[in-house]
């Protein structure tokens, strides 16, 4: 079959499930399995599109995608399994895939194969076939295989495996109808499916049938629940997961005998014997059905990698690529984020005020609505553009194949502090904003790598800390502004290295996770796939994180404004807590309730430290309220024009090449009132200790929520909170006390 | 001779996988098996990890992981 003949393009392949569908109609559950980089995501997106529902697998944070739709009067539930190379129970992805298949027993497995990498993909197929669940193979990327000059005899492969094979080109939506038709046909007529039993060699086969018999006799209930042959293999492999789950151990059975014999004959452990036997099947099949051209052409991937992974060019090119990604993520999203912010605190707030005014609500309620709820909504919306932009780039980097190269280039440096090559990108994003950085840790497959990276990200000085630095530097170190600012960024990085080394030896003691990683061919990710992915992730953030952020904003409003009617902020709950905490900060040089309260308010977002200080230290002078309130229609027009301006600014930022806009110190002229008050309460030394404290103390609540979401537990935020508080206190203490001893700036 | 000692462009045949446990299983799952031909393509700019071709695809691994893979260098 040639790629051209897979011409049946799906326009709108599937319809959403109709609500009226009768209850008794059975849903066909189709699990989609496949290697990473096999085009599985693209295939699923092409079939289900926006009907995909993205969530997490229970108890873990691996993504779970599902879609329910109607196809040829059948109701199909598509379940995307994590990409895996094998079903060995070593990675989280493998365990999820295996548990799902064994426990949920889907009606059909669609096995998505990368046709350009047949043998390694068949290794998974062979394992799927052991499960006794009907398999349909989607021979994906068929066009690419042809381009490489491969010819695959899929008819022969069908015959050898006894499994239906459908060539597909997911990027062009080709072959998807055939694939779904094959699913329907198989479910309608199960007898059409008669897979061949793969023969793993005489000694293995005789051992496995002995074990099968033993299992059947001793544990008949198990034999009914699980695919027997698979179960037998797992026992022979001494699979700890299966053993502990079923609460019987290998040694009570005759298994030991059978296994000992095999081990002796092969001089290997059982897992290796099985891996060898399975690969032998995959290799044998490949030899029969695949013809490669005699002369291998240098392909595009090789050409790109000669430059991208070059000894001398590799790192500069990587850094340049990262620089562009960083700039695009933050500079493109910034005008839109600012626009959303202006929208919330401008028109939205005014409208809410008007509404509250209409119902003659008491003053506290109007304050709760505008300063609590609206402000909370605002702080969620501000993050939306940056989260979307980051998700877009990360998805692009992963889909294109460059993420693996980034890891390859940076691994040596990152590994020396216990991290993984892929940790670099989340850390870098941290300088813009820690929140998308935490979400970006999802590119790390291993839980340990992911957790360690997330713990160190808050030490990367984010954009929200800058306004605090700017005010203090402007007040105390105008002559050395650059040096002082630089020192803070460097201190953050240096402490990340130190903490990385400490964590590596304490919290994460033991063998570092392995690196072994495929370098997939470069591919242009399909735009649709990119958009669906970005949208789903962004939506997830909005709903999940949004709720938390809103709740926290309202809580802080209570702290700041209650008891209602207090004259001074000192008497508010926040001020009261500030007075309690202040003595703890005394040795650091800023033991006033004002400083303590500002720091506490800063947990919402660190830039709020400045705003709160402004409120506390400087008496409100100009009545901002007196501004004329624009009419509703004027508001609408303003929203429209400001949005176009924001879009234009975003577009312009794509092309502007120099200077991170978020690093500008334009704010310098403002806040002169605050600065002069600060000069009376801080010394240069305590001021420096204070900004170091701001750099290091607990991450903001949005980061906390991001950590909770990414890890499904508060544990890592707890650790982050504890070590950062200790570190911030210690560093500020050393700076202030050391400085005082040396007589600097006292 | 082990895989980490090969220079870019050199080929060999795997004779033994000395690694243990999950590392060994992972290597085998990725097609790193005894008898397989392997070619070192590149060394990362900072000297580690390395890129090899095996079973017609590209795999990267750290030198430390490659140390456990014995190879016989092809002439």
């Amino acid at each position: 079959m040639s790629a051209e003949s897979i011409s049946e393009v799906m326009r709108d392949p599937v319809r959403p499930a109709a609500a009226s569908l009768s209850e008794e109609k059975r849903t066909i559950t189709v699990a989609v399995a496949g290697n990473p980089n096999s085009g599985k995501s693209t295939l699923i997106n092409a079939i289900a599109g926006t009907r995909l529902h993205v969530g997490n697998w229970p108890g873990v944070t691996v993504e779970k995608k599902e879609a329910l739709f109607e196809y040829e009067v059948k109701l199909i539930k598509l379940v995307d399994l994590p990409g895996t190379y094998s079903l060995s129970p070593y990675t989280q992805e493998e365990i999820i895939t295996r548990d799902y298949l064994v426990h949920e027993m889907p009606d059909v497995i669609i096995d998505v194969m990368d046709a350009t990498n047949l043998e390694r993909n068949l290794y998974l197929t062979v394992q799927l076939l052991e499960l006794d669940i009907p398999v349909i193979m989607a021979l994906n990327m068929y066009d690419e295989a042809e381009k490489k000059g491969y010819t695959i005899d899929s008819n022969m492969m069908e015959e050898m495996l006894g499994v239906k094979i459908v060539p597909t080109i997911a990027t062009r939506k080709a072959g998807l109808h055939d694939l779904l038709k094959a699913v329907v046909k198989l479910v309608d007529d199960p007898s059409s499916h008669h897979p061949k039993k793969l023969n793993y060699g005489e000694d293995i086969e005789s051992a496995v049938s002995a074990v099968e018999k033993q299992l059947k006799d001793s544990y008949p209930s198990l034999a009914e629940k699980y695919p027997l042959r698979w179960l037998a293999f797992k026992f022979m492999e001494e699979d700890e997961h299966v053993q502990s789950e079923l609460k019987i151990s290998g040694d009570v059975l005759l298994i030991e005998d059978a296994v000992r014999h095999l081990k002796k004959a092969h001089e290997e452990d059982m897992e290796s014997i099985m891996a060898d036997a399975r690969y032998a099947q995959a290799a044998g099949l490949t030899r029969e059905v695949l013809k490669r051209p005699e002369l291998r052409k240098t392909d595009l991937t090789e050409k790109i990698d000669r430059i991208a992974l070059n000894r001398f060019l590799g790192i500069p090119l990587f850094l340049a690529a990262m620089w562009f990604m960083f700039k695009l993520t933050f500079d493109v999203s910034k005008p839109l984020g600012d626009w959303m912010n202006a929208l919330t605190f401008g028109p939205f707030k005014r409208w809410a005020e008007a509404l509250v005014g209409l119902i003659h609500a008491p003053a506290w309620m109007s304050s709760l609505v505008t300063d609590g709820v609206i402000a909370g909504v605002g702080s969620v919306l501000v993050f939306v553009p940056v989260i979307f932009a980051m998700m877009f780039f990360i998805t692009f980097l992963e889909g294109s194949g460059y993420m693996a190269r980034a890891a390859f280039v940076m691994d040596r440096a990152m590994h020396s502090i216990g991290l993984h090559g892929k940790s670099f990108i989340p850390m870098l994003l941290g300088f813009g904003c820690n929140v998308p950085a935490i979400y970006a840790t999802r590119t790390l497959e291993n839980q340990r790598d992911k957790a360690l990276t997330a713990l160190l990200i808050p030490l990367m000085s984010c954009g929200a800390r800058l306004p605090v630095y700017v005010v203090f530097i402007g007040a105390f170190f105008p002559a050395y502004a650059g040096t002082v600012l630089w020192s803070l960024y460097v201190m953050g990085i240096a402490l990340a290295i130190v903490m990385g080394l400490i964590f590596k030896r304490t919290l994460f003691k033991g063998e570092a996770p392995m690196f072994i990683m495929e370098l997939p061919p470069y591919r242009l990710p399909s735009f649709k796939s990119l958009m669906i992915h970005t949208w789903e992730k962004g939506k997830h953030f909005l709903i999940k994180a949004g709720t938390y952020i809103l709740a926290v904003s309202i809580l802080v409003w209570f702290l700041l404004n209650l008891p209602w009617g207090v004259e001074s902020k000192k008497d508010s709950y926040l001020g009261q807590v500030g007075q309690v905490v202040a003595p703890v900060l005394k040795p650091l040089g800023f033991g006033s309730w004002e400083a303590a309260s500002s720091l506490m308010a800063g947990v919402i977002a660190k830039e709020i430290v400045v705003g709160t200080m402004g409120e506390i230290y400087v008496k409100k002078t100009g009545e901002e309220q007196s501004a004329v309130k624009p009419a509703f229609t004027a508001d609408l027009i303003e929203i429209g024009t400001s949005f176009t301006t924001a879009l234009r600014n975003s577009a312009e930022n794509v092309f502007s090449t120099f200077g991170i806009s978020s690093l500008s110190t334009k704010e310098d002229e403002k806040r002169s009132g605050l600065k002069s008050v600060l000069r009376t309460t801080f010394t240069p030394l305590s001021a420096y200790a204070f900004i170091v404290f701001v750099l290091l103390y607990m991450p903001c609540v949005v980061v906390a929520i991001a950590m909770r979401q990414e890890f499904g537990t508060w544990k890592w935020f707890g650790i982050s909170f504890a070590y950062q508080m200790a570190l911030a206190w210690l560093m500020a203490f050393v700076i202030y006390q050391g400085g005082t001893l040396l007589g600097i700036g006292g | 001779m082990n895989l980490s000692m090969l220079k870019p462009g050199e080929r060999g045949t795997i004779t033994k996988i000395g690694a243990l446990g999950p590392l060994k299983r992972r290597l085998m799952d990725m097609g790193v098996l005894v008898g397989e031909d392997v070619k070192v393509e590149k060394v990362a700019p900072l000297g580690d990890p390395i890129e090899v071709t095996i079973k017609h695809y590209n795999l990267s691994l750290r030198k430390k992981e490659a140390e456990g893979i014995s190879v016989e260098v092809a002439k």
Side-chain angles (χ1 to χ4, degrees), chain A residues 590-612:
Chain A
F590 42 88
S592 65
W593 74 266
E594 290 98 333
S597 301
S598 306
L599 285 171
M600 279 190 295
V603 303
I604 303 242
K606 289 195 175 176
E607 76 246 31
I608 290 181
V609 170
V610 176
T612 314

Side-chain angles (χ1 to χ4, degrees), chain A residues 547-558:
Chain A
T547 337
Y548 276 114
I549 297 171
L550 197 60
V552 173
S553 298
I554 293 170
L555 181 75
V556 169
W557 177 87
F558 275 102

Side-chain angles (χ1 to χ4, degrees), chain A residues 83-339:
Chain A
T84 55
Y85 294 105
S86 166
L87 295 183
S88 4
Y90 285 119
T91 68
Q92 219 174 26
E93 284 79 7
E94 287 167 355
I95 294 169
I96 293 168
T97 302
R98 211 178 82 163
D99 283 355
Y100 179 83
L101 292 174
V102 174
H103 295 147
E104 306 292 321
M105 281 282 183
D107 297 296
V108 182
I109 302 173
I110 291 181
D111 175 22
V112 184
M113 311 262 304
D114 173 358
T116 68
N117 203 337
L118 207 54
E119 188 178 338
R120 207 201 56 222
N121 279 261
L122 275 168
Y123 177 68
L124 179 68
T125 312
V126 168
Q127 295 181 64
L128 292 174
L129 288 170
E130 286 171 12
L131 290 167
D132 267 349
I133 301 168
V135 172
I136 290 174
M137 289 162 71
L139 201 53
N140 197 29
M141 302 187 177
Y142 205 80
D143 53 338
E144 255 184 68
E146 286 200 329
K147 217 189 271 169
K148 285 182 90 141
Y150 289 8
T151 43
I152 301 170
D153 189 343
S154 56
N155 289 333
M156 192 198 280
M157 189 148 76
E158 257 181 3
E159 208 169 291
M160 289 175 75
L161 287 168
V163 163
K164 174 77 183 159
I165 297 174
V166 183
T168 56
I169 307 166
T171 46
R172 284 198 251 137
K173 292 190 166 195
L176 304 185
H177 259 311
D178 293 336
L179 188 62
L180 291 175
K181 272 185 191 146
V183 169
V184 172
K185 188 173 166 232
L186 194 144
V187 173
D188 279 343
D189 179 17
S191 66
S192 67
H193 179 71
H194 25 72
K196 302 264 163 63
K197 195 179 119 186
L198 297 173
N199 188 332
Y200 288 154
E202 211 171 308
D203 49 352
I204 295 180
E205 290 298 338
S206 67
V208 79
S209 37
V211 176
E212 268 183 59
K213 190 173 174 303
Q214 173 78 27
L215 281 169
K216 210 171 173 177
D217 293 346
S218 317
Y219 302 95
S221 61
L222 276 183
E224 256 171 55
K225 242 171 101 188
Y226 296 97
L228 200 56
R229 188 172 156 87
W230 176 80
L231 201 61
F233 280 134
K234 291 301 130 186
F235 274 101
M236 288 164 69
E237 288 171 289
E238 283 154 28
D239 185 308
E240 282 166 27
H241 280 265
V242 169
Q243 285 183 354
S244 67
E245 200 185 305
L246 305 179
K247 295 188 182 64
I248 48 173
S249 61
D251 48 30
V252 298
L253 299 160
L254 277 178
I255 293 172
E256 270 219 326
D257 230 29
V259 168
R260 198 181 307 123
H261 188 74
L262 273 174
K263 276 183 178 168
K264 213 173 153 194
H266 289 258
E267 291 181 338
E268 267 291 5
D269 57 279
M270 214 37 227
E271 284 196 321
S272 307
I273 297 170
M274 286 311 299
D276 256 330
R278 291 182 181 121
Y279 252 118
Q281 292 290 329
L285 268 162
T286 310
R287 214 173 323 137
E288 293 295 324
V289 302
L290 172 70
K291 280 202 175 54
R292 293 193 179 89
E294 301 220 338
L295 261 177
R296 246 185 98 257
K297 289 182 289 187
T298 318
D299 58 18
L300 185 66
T301 296
E302 265 172 89
K303 285 179 196 155
I304 297 175
D305 272 348
R306 265 181 213 159
I307 302 164
L309 302 183
N310 180 280
R311 270 226 108 119
F312 306 103
L313 290 175
I315 289 181
L317 278 175
F318 166 74
L319 292 175
M322 288 305 107
W323 170 247
F324 271 104
M325 190 195 76
F326 184 90
K327 273 188 65 64
L328 285 172
T329 307
F330 291 103
D331 290 0
V332 169
S333 60
K334 194 170 186 292
L336 293 169
D338 290 348
W339 174 75

Side-chain angles (χ1 to χ4, degrees), chain A residues 85-86 88 90-91 94 116-117 119-120 123 127 150 237 268-269 271-272 275-276 278-279 283 292 301-302 305-306 309-311 314-315 405 408-413 415 419-421 512-519, chain B residues 8 11 15-36 39 41-66 69:
Chain A
Y85 294 105
S86 166
S88 4
Y90 285 119
T91 68
E94 287 167 355
T116 68
N117 203 337
E119 188 178 338
R120 207 201 56 222
Y123 177 68
Q127 295 181 64
Y150 289 8
E237 288 171 289
E268 267 291 5
D269 57 279
E271 284 196 321
S272 307
D276 256 330
R278 291 182 181 121
Y279 252 118
R292 293 193 179 89
T301 296
E302 265 172 89
D305 272 348
R306 265 181 213 159
L309 302 183
N310 180 280
R311 270 226 108 119
I315 289 181
R405 271 77 184 180
F408 183 72
V409 169
M410 286 315 290
D411 187 65
R412 174 71 187 270
H415 188 51
L419 295 169
H420 185 276
M514 41 203 157
F515 182 75
I516 303 161
M517 177 186 71
E518 181 186 4
L519 290 172
Chain B
R11 290 167 187 280
T15 54
K16 188 178 182 321
I17 297 166
L20 287 171
L23 177 61
K24 180 173 188 183
R25 182 64 197 252
R26 172 77 169 176
L27 284 169
M28 296 191 85
D29 280 346
M30 298 304 281
V32 180
L33 307 165
V34 171
E36 210 62 50
K39 180 186 171 197
E41 294 286 344
K42 288 185 189 69
V43 175
L46 296 174
D48 196 24
I50 59 171
E51 178 192 349
V52 302
T53 31
I54 191 157
K55 288 195 182 288
H56 300 93
Y57 83 95
N58 299 324
L59 184 73
S60 69
L61 67 170
R62 291 188 184 132
K63 278 190 170 163
K64 198 150 191 335
E65 293 157 348
I69 301 166

Side-chain angles (χ1 to χ4, degrees), chain A residues 25 65 129 185 254 346 357 371 405 438 476:
Chain A
K25 192 174 213 170
K65 284 191 267 183
L129 288 170
K185 188 173 166 232
L254 277 178
D371 301 327
R405 271 77 184 180
I438 297 287
F476 294 96

